Amino acid sequence: MTYRTFFAAALTGLAALALVGPSAAWAGPPAALVEDVQGEVAGAELMDYVAPGQVIKLGPDGAVVMSYLKSCRRETVSGSGSVTVGPGESKVDGATLKSDIVNCDASHAQATTRETSEVAATIVRSIGPDSAPVAQAVIYGASPIVEAKGRGTLIVERLDQPGERQQIELTGRQYKGRFYDFAGTSHPLTPGGIYVASFGAARLVFKVDAQAKAGPGPAVGRLIRLN
């Protein structure tokens, strides 16, 4: 191989790395959930998960609201500029950032479906006259958002008191094929209640916070992940 050929091959390799570099930086578990998008926004859509290193660009009238799964930090970024997703908070360039902390269960956001399903099955089996169910997670809205991808039967059943059970046949047409929002229904859950949600082999035992309200609210505080 001549020096010129080697040099050309090296440049080609560097160009390829430049193209795949940002995508590789986005690999891994999601850091935040996009809860709202307004105006001109490139790089993220409503109810997208975003990962550390991902860059979202905003036009002059653009705005994006996203909540971090681990830090429970809810950010509103607006105005022309860009926002770079971090592990627990964002960095902005040119845009305006406002943030607050909302109620959310960070431990549930980081758990895998297999882990939660195995524990949930054990909890349900152990329920008896003298043993109360122990919740794996807490949600802070009485109208949960359930992440259940594809078609199947979603069942939400109360464990601490008998008789409350909801069964929803999902056709795969839920938002983005995976998000079913109880805020769009007339069947909120009972504040303070302990429930088990199941979809296929996935299960989660969760508690509804005693102060939870029905209807829309911060998505990260109402999220039940069954995928």
Side-chain angles (χ1 to χ4, degrees), residues 81-221:
S82 65
V83 52
T84 302
V85 179
E89 61 181 295
S90 302
K91 292 182 179 180
V92 298
D93 182 8
T96 300
L97 184 151
K98 297 179 180 180
S99 68
D100 59 354
I101 302 297
V102 299
N103 290 321
C104 81
D105 192 330
S107 60
H108 168 50
Q110 301 301 312
T112 67
T113 302
R114 181 175 179 179
E115 291 171 345
T116 57
S117 298
E118 290 174 351
V119 174
T122 301
I123 293 172
V124 173
R125 286 195 301 266
S126 65
I127 296 174
D130 300 320
S131 60
V134 178
Q136 300 168 267
V138 179
I139 62 170
Y140 295 89
S143 302
I145 297 175
V146 181
E147 183 182 355
K149 186 176 181 179
R151 302 169 58 121
T153 302
L154 170 64
I155 298 174
V156 179
E157 185 171 10
R158 190 164 180 182
L159 296 178
D160 58 331
Q161 291 186 18
E164 188 179 337
R165 186 178 189 272
Q166 297 189 46
Q167 180 172 317
I168 303 104
E169 298 299 329
L170 300 182
T171 64
R173 295 184 179 179
Q174 53 270 34
Y175 191 74
K176 288 188 175 290
R178 66 193 306 165
F179 293 107
Y180 180 83
D181 192 348
F182 276 69
T185 74
S186 57
H187 303 289
L189 306 184
T190 303
I194 298 178
Y195 296 81
V196 59
S198 60
F199 183 74
R203 282 185 178 184
L204 179 75
V205 176
F206 66 95
K207 181 178 181 178
V208 182
D209 184 74
Q211 304 302 316
K213 305 296 183 183
V220 72

